[in-house]
Amino acid sequence: MEELRIFAPATVANLSCGFDVLGCCLDNVGDEMLVRKNNLNQLRITRITGEELPMDIDKNVAGVAVLSLLKRLGSDQGFDIEIHKKIKSGSGIGSSAASSAGAVFAVNKLLDEPFSPKELILFAMEGERLASGNPHADNVAPALLGGFSLVKSYEPFEVLSLPSPEELRMVILHPLIEIRTKDSRAIIKQNVSLVKAIAQWGNLGAFVSALYTNDYDLLGRSLKDEIVEPIRSILIPYYDRLDEVAMEAGALGFGISGSGPSVYALCRGEENAVKVKDAIADFYKDQDIDFQLHLSKINSNGIRIL
Amino acid sequence: MEELRIFAPATVANLSCGFDVLGCCLDNVGDEMLVRKNNLNQLRITRITGEELPMDIDKNVAGVAVLSLLKRLGSDQGFDIEIHKKIKSGSGIGSSAASSAGAVFAVNKLLDEPFSPKELILFAMEGERLASGNPHADNVAPALLGGFSLVKSYEPFEVLSLPSPEELRMVILHPLIEIRTKDSRAIIKQNVSLVKAIAQWGNLGAFVSALYTNDYDLLGRSLKDEIVEPIRSILIPYYDRLDEVAMEAGALGFGISGSGPSVYALCRGEENAVKVKDAIADFYKDQDIDFQLHLSKINSNGIRIL
């Protein structure tokens, strides 16, 4: 196999109760990438459409992710990478993760899969390190594994795949303002009260349990965050009203996607998700901010070969 | 039904990764209680053996727990309660919880079950409030529900029952020194670093997942606590050596039971648990501290009628 065209999905990290450890994979929102072997022993970004991003491999998240993979393998195989961005940078739905994860996925396939999907996460995290200064896995893991991922621990590094109840739908609102992950991390307090931390791990435990028991209402009740969202939500225009609008339209839960500004509403069933999406659109069209809206299933498989 | 004799089990709370939210129920360690209706419209503690505890119902955890139940019900039915303690006070394996939970369980049965087991938790928590100043549910919930319990949230109050993999065994060492829950809580810092909190909720999520997938090794790897155990373990003689002894003998994980001084080793299978128990006994007999050792299955049913 000489070249591969793939769909690299967007992802929703944190999911309120799982800051830095939880994420899930979207189905119909994502980039396209074309990765092709070359005979130049050289890694190149040959084309980027949809966004203005660095072509220099040391400054491009896909570049550094693939470099770390090739270095580990001791391979000097060259590749040309085309990135067709559909996910906007700074949207909070894993734009950098899609590029990093997609690139290492394709390169690994073209090299006859020396690494497992879980091993690829570590290489893709190098892209996240470049993007935000923090090699977090809660976007790249679900992009590579599909469904819901839980980062059990960073040292030693361990990621779990969790089940994904079939009727779940995600509605994503992306207000077209940019918040850089770096900035959004900077405002978080580095100490939390034990009481709030306990509330958080109670909710995360309940969320994981609910994924196994298909308890949709419990999933919704577990989507709480008293630590990060109260601070980050200040950066998101009309956050509290959006929460009300989504919940009144029947969403299971509502919160910030990744570091924002995108917000998500978790819904049960297509019909309810359409209703929630329409309610959010109806509210936000009256505000003075351009926006994108997505409605997606949970993607159980992660990156797709096109 | 005029009287009921019950077995009120000991419980292991926290389980390292689930401070204040997680607990499990033991099978062969617990108190016996005899509860009998009387015609005096009066609640009485008529006998206590095994420990010196207050007979005054306002000062006895079983008394205040039953009082709160009767008050809610608006009932003036009288009861005589006998408590035969086998679980030592201040052991860290839910001595007060056994009495509180046992008493409300028996009274509820004798009143033809006006309350569900989950509703009884709230009454039993009043006993915990008296014992430690903190109405925590991570002992009374597993005592009443059996198996593993997760306190999802205190406000609103919600407890989940989690599955209990069949081969699990608990080895409990109780060094015969007393640490009062109140004191053991007082030394805990009220703020934690976000980094440690994230590590904790990653492990708790993994623990819950492992209960559903019968992944014994993952259960063991999830039994980590960087927040509370490093502080509380200072109060427990030879804690670090015990940890090594248990893990070298093949335990899945090791930690503090509740607020200590008891420690637990979670094991897979009876044979391994016996090995771990023997190794701990062998080590601790050379120290200058009296101790009790227990080996128990996880009790899936909670309180038993005898």
Side-chain angles (χ1 to χ4, degrees):
Chain A
M1 199 159 39
E2 292 300 306
E3 71 167 47
L4 206 59
R5 185 180 293 273
I6 59 161
F7 169 78
T11 44
V12 176
N14 297 344
L15 289 160
S16 306
C17 59
F19 180 69
D20 265 11
V21 305
L22 198 61
C24 73
C25 187
L26 298 182
D27 196 51
N28 59 5
V29 190
D31 299 339
E32 280 188 32
M33 300 176 77
L34 180 68
V35 181
R36 186 184 295 125
K37 282 184 186 169
N38 69 34
N39 296 319
L40 308 168
N41 299 342
Q42 203 187 340
L43 180 61
R44 306 188 302 186
I45 312 285
T46 49
R47 203 172 159 217
I48 298 175
T49 65
E51 288 278 312
E52 299 227 352
L53 294 168
M55 305 286 281
D56 182 341
I57 53 161
D58 292 318
K59 292 179 182 155
N60 182 294
V61 297
V64 298
V66 171
L67 277 183
S68 74
L69 183 156
L70 294 174
K71 191 177 167 196
R72 166 74 71 83
L73 204 60
S75 165
D76 61 356
Q77 174 65 50
F79 291 94
D80 291 347
I81 300 178
E82 285 185 20
I83 306 172
H84 303 286
K85 296 298 291 180
K86 308 275 169 69
I87 313 169
K88 290 191 182 297
S89 293
S91 57
I93 52 170
S95 181
S96 58
S99 298
S100 308
V104 295
F105 174 91
V107 163
N108 189 56
K109 276 274 180 215
L110 293 172
L111 293 171
D112 294 328
E113 303 191 59
F115 298 108
S116 72
K118 284 197 179 177
E119 289 172 316
L120 294 179
I121 295 169
L122 288 161
F123 304 124
M125 283 163 66
E126 291 304 313
E128 296 294 68
R129 188 197 300 275
L130 178 69
S132 69
N134 174 42
H136 59 107
D138 47 352
N139 289 109
V140 292
L144 283 160
L145 305 177
F148 286 86
S149 298
L150 176 77
V151 185
K152 177 201 173 288
S153 59
Y154 280 90
E155 284 178 27
F157 184 72
E158 184 169 0
V159 170
L160 310 179
S161 281
L162 302 175
S164 174
E166 215 168 288
E167 297 172 44
L168 286 182
R169 296 292 183 279
M170 277 285 183
V171 174
I172 309 282
L173 168 75
H174 177 200
L176 293 176
I177 59 169
E178 185 170 341
I179 300 176
R180 290 194 312 160
T181 304
K182 232 179 231 175
D183 299 339
S184 186
R185 288 195 84 83
I187 63 169
I188 298 172
K189 294 184 184 138
Q190 290 312 302
N191 283 289
V192 302
S193 79
L194 183 58
V195 170
K196 287 184 179 178
I198 292 167
Q200 193 93 346
W201 59 66
N203 280 314
L204 179 69
F207 187 86
V208 171
S209 175
L211 289 177
Y212 280 95
T213 55
N214 292 300
D215 187 335
Y216 291 89
D217 291 329
L218 179 58
L219 283 175
R221 288 197 303 280
S222 305
L223 294 172
K224 309 278 180 218
D225 175 6
E226 288 180 42
I227 294 174
V228 175
E229 285 185 353
I231 299 171
R232 280 188 168 167
S233 59
I234 296 163
L235 302 175
I236 299 168
Y238 307 103
Y239 180 84
D240 291 337
R241 281 291 294 134
L242 282 167
D243 188 346
E244 286 167 17
V245 165
M247 296 307 288
E248 276 164 19
L252 298 170
F254 176 88
I256 302 175
S257 174
S259 54
S262 286
V263 292
Y264 74 88
L266 190 69
C267 301
R268 178 175 188 170
E270 189 74 15
E271 194 180 336
N272 178 253
V274 169
K275 206 176 142 195
V276 170
K277 186 184 172 193
D278 289 348
I280 291 176
D282 203 46
F283 168 74
Y284 229 64
K285 74 175 165 37
D286 294 335
Q287 318 312 330
D288 203 19
I289 298 162
D290 287 334
F291 63 95
Q292 290 188 330
L293 257 177
H294 308 289
L295 191 171
S296 177
K297 291 184 187 180
I298 307 301
N299 164 359
S300 311
N301 302 308
I303 294 161
R304 274 197 297 274
I305 297 172
L306 297 176
Chain B
M1 201 158 40
E2 291 301 306
E3 70 168 48
L4 206 59
R5 185 180 292 275
I6 60 161
F7 170 78
T11 43
V12 176
N14 295 345
L15 290 160
S16 305
C17 60
F19 179 69
D20 266 8
V21 305
L22 198 61
C24 73
C25 188
L26 299 182
D27 196 50
N28 59 6
V29 191
D31 299 339
E32 279 187 33
M33 300 176 76
L34 180 68
V35 180
R36 186 184 294 126
K37 283 184 185 169
N38 69 35
N39 297 320
L40 307 168
N41 299 342
Q42 203 186 339
L43 180 62
R44 306 188 304 185
I45 311 287
T46 49
R47 203 171 159 217
I48 298 175
T49 65
E51 287 279 312
E52 299 226 354
L53 294 169
M55 304 287 280
D56 182 342
I57 53 160
D58 292 318
K59 291 180 182 154
N60 181 293
V61 299
V64 299
V66 171
L67 278 183
S68 74
L69 182 155
L70 294 175
K71 191 177 167 196
R72 167 73 72 82
L73 206 58
S75 166
D76 61 356
Q77 174 64 51
F79 292 93
D80 291 346
I81 300 177
E82 286 185 20
I83 307 171
H84 302 286
K85 295 298 292 179
K86 308 276 170 70
I87 314 169
K88 289 189 184 297
S89 293
S91 56
I93 52 170
S95 180
S96 58
S99 298
S100 309
V104 296
F105 173 91
V107 163
N108 189 56
K109 277 274 181 215
L110 292 173
L111 293 171
D112 294 328
E113 303 190 61
F115 298 109
S116 71
K118 284 197 178 177
E119 289 172 317
L120 293 178
I121 295 170
L122 287 162
F123 304 123
M125 282 163 67
E126 292 304 313
E128 297 294 68
R129 188 198 299 276
L130 178 69
S132 70
N134 175 43
H136 59 105
D138 47 351
N139 289 107
V140 292
L144 282 161
L145 306 177
F148 287 86
S149 299
L150 176 76
V151 186
K152 177 202 173 286
S153 60
Y154 280 90
E155 285 177 28
F157 184 72
E158 184 170 1
V159 169
L160 310 178
S161 281
L162 303 175
S164 173
E166 215 168 288
E167 296 172 45
L168 285 181
R169 296 293 183 277
M170 277 285 183
V171 175
I172 308 282
L173 168 75
H174 176 202
L176 293 175
I177 59 170
E178 184 170 343
I179 301 176
R180 292 194 310 160
T181 305
K182 234 179 231 176
D183 299 339
S184 187
R185 289 195 83 83
I187 61 169
I188 297 172
K189 293 182 186 140
Q190 290 312 304
N191 283 288
V192 302
S193 78
L194 183 59
V195 169
K196 287 183 180 178
I198 292 167
Q200 193 92 347
W201 58 65
N203 280 313
L204 179 68
F207 188 86
V208 172
S209 175
L211 289 178
Y212 280 96
T213 56
N214 292 300
D215 187 334
Y216 292 90
D217 291 329
L218 178 58
L219 283 176
R221 289 197 302 281
S222 305
L223 294 171
K224 308 277 180 218
D225 174 7
E226 287 180 44
I227 294 174
V228 175
E229 285 185 355
I231 299 171
R232 281 190 168 164
S233 59
I234 295 163
L235 302 176
I236 298 167
Y238 307 103
Y239 181 82
D240 291 338
R241 282 290 294 133
L242 281 167
D243 187 348
E244 286 168 17
V245 165
M247 296 307 287
E248 276 164 19
L252 298 170
F254 175 89
I256 302 175
S257 174
S259 54
S262 287
V263 293
Y264 75 87
L266 189 70
C267 302
R268 179 175 188 169
E270 189 73 15
E271 194 181 336
N272 178 252
V274 169
K275 207 176 143 194
V276 170
K277 185 184 173 194
D278 289 348
I280 290 176
D282 202 47
F283 168 73
Y284 230 64
K285 74 174 165 37
D286 295 335
Q287 318 312 328
D288 203 18
I289 299 163
D290 288 335
F291 63 94
Q292 290 188 330
L293 256 178
H294 308 289
L295 191 171
S296 177
K297 292 184 186 180
I298 307 301
N299 165 359
S300 311
N301 302 310
I303 294 161
R304 273 197 297 274
I305 297 172
L306 298 176

